[in-house]
Amino acid sequence: MAHKILLVEDDPCFGSVLKSYLELSDYDVMLCVNGNEGLEAFRKDRYDLCLLDVMMPQMDGFTLGKKIREIAPGVPFVYITAKSLKEDMKLGYEIGADDYIIKPFDSELLILKIKAILSRCEGETEELKPRYIQIGQYLFNTELRTISKNDQVIKLTPKEAHLLELLYKYRDHLLLRDKALTEIWGTNDYFTARSMDVYITKLRKYFKDDEKIKIDNIHGSGFRLIIEE
C-alpha cells in the first residue's frame, strides 16, 4: 500500500506540480491550500508524513505543525519554504519538524529525504511497539490481544485491541473521534460512530474492577484514557 502524504501548500501551481511528482514516485498525496484545510484533512484521515509550507493564509505552517504534534506525536512532518532565516529554521525544529527544506530544491533530493524519514519511522514503530502494556492492575498483551488480571484473561477482538492501543497511545490526552474512526474502521459515518461507542462501552466494562482506570467521553470531540497513579 502506498504511503499517504499530506501536502499543505498555498501556491496552487507549485502545489499541483509537487503533488504530481510525488504521485509519480508512488505516493498517495492529499493537497490542501491553507492551514485550516490541512488541519481538517489531518483530523479526518491517517497520513504517514506531512509536507508543510510555512507562509499560508488562515493558519501558518508553524501553528499547523504544533497542532499536528498535539494530535499525532509520531507522525513526521517536513517544512518546505522559501524562508531561509535561521530563526525560522530553529523554530521549525523546536516544534518537532523532521526536516526543513528551502525552495527551490532538487525534487530527487526531496524523495530521498522522504524515503529516509519513512524508513526510520517504520523501524522505530516496530522496535518501540510494546508487546506488554501495564494498564492499572491489568496487563495488555498487544500481540495476543488479551488483557489479564491475576487468573482472569479477557480476549479482545481486533478492533477492541486497536482502539485500546490508540487510547493508551494518547493516554491523558484527547483521542479524536474522527481519527479513531478513520484509522480503525476506515470511515467516520454515523453507523461506524455508533459502533465505536459500543466498543468504548465494552472496554469500560472490562476495566470496571479498577477504579483508577477511566475512559472519559469528551463530548463532540473524542475520548481520553486516564490511569491514576
Side-chain angles (χ1 to χ4, degrees):
M1 183 181 295
H3 286 101
K4 296 190 69 171
I5 293 178
L6 175 63
L7 171 61
V8 189
E9 168 61 58
D10 71 325
D11 183 330
C13 293
F14 177 75
S16 179
V17 170
L18 182 55
K19 180 178 186 291
S20 297
Y21 182 78
L22 291 169
E23 289 174 338
L24 286 173
S25 299
D26 297 324
Y27 293 107
D28 182 2
V29 183
M30 165 63 77
L31 173 62
C32 297
V33 296
N34 61 63
N36 284 342
E37 187 179 312
L39 179 60
E40 186 65 21
F42 188 81
R43 282 174 168 163
K44 289 183 176 180
D45 206 346
R46 180 180 182 180
Y47 295 93
D48 299 297
L49 182 139
C50 303
L51 300 176
L52 312 177
D53 189 17
V54 171
M55 298 300 293
M56 295 187 294
Q58 300 186 31
M59 181 189 298
D60 63 71
F62 292 138
T63 302
L64 178 57
K66 290 178 182 178
K67 291 183 178 295
I68 285 174
R69 272 287 169 267
E70 292 172 358
I71 297 170
V75 174
F77 66 88
V78 174
Y79 284 120
I80 299 180
T81 176
K83 299 185 69 175
S84 58
L85 294 177
K86 180 180 178 181
E87 292 76 13
D88 288 328
M89 296 179 69
K90 181 181 177 183
L91 177 57
Y93 285 120
E94 287 176 346
I95 290 171
D98 290 77
D99 212 329
Y100 196 104
I101 301 176
I102 309 300
K103 301 175 185 174
F105 55 84
D106 186 321
S107 298
E108 291 185 10
L109 178 60
L110 174 62
I111 295 297
L112 290 174
K113 286 178 176 289
I114 289 173
K115 288 181 177 179
I117 291 171
L118 290 174
S119 177
R120 187 199 72 228
C121 290
E122 288 174 352
E124 290 176 352
T125 299
E126 290 303 315
E127 287 180 20
L128 298 178
K129 180 178 178 181
R131 179 179 177 184
Y132 296 103
I133 298 174
Q134 191 71 43
I135 302 179
Q137 300 175 18
Y138 295 84
L139 189 64
F140 176 29
N141 186 320
T142 61
E143 187 176 283
L144 298 180
R145 299 197 303 272
T146 61
I147 53 175
S148 58
K149 174 186 173 185
N150 300 324
D151 295 330
Q152 178 189 11
V153 179
I154 301 172
K155 179 69 175 178
L156 304 178
T157 67
K159 283 186 171 61
E160 287 174 342
H162 195 166
L163 181 56
L164 182 54
E165 283 192 63
L166 278 179
L167 285 166
Y168 184 80
K169 178 180 178 181
Y170 289 90
R171 63 193 179 279
D172 298 323
H173 297 282
L174 175 65
L175 169 61
L176 290 171
R177 174 180 287 270
D178 285 350
K179 180 171 182 58
L181 286 170
T182 53
E183 182 163 334
I184 299 173
W185 280 268
T187 181
N188 60 352
D189 59 31
Y190 173 83
F191 298 102
T192 52
R194 298 288 72 79
S195 178
M196 184 169 71
D197 289 338
V198 172
Y199 280 89
I200 289 290
T201 299
K202 288 182 177 180
L203 290 178
R204 288 187 179 125
K205 183 178 179 181
Y206 297 151
F207 294 114
K208 64 182 177 62
D209 292 335
D210 191 336
E211 296 180 352
K212 294 185 177 181
I213 301 173
K214 298 178 182 178
I215 303 177
D216 286 345
N217 180 20
I218 310 301
H219 183 68
S221 299
F223 305 96
R224 182 177 61 165
L225 173 65
I226 300 172
I227 308 171
E228 297 178 359
E229 297 295 332

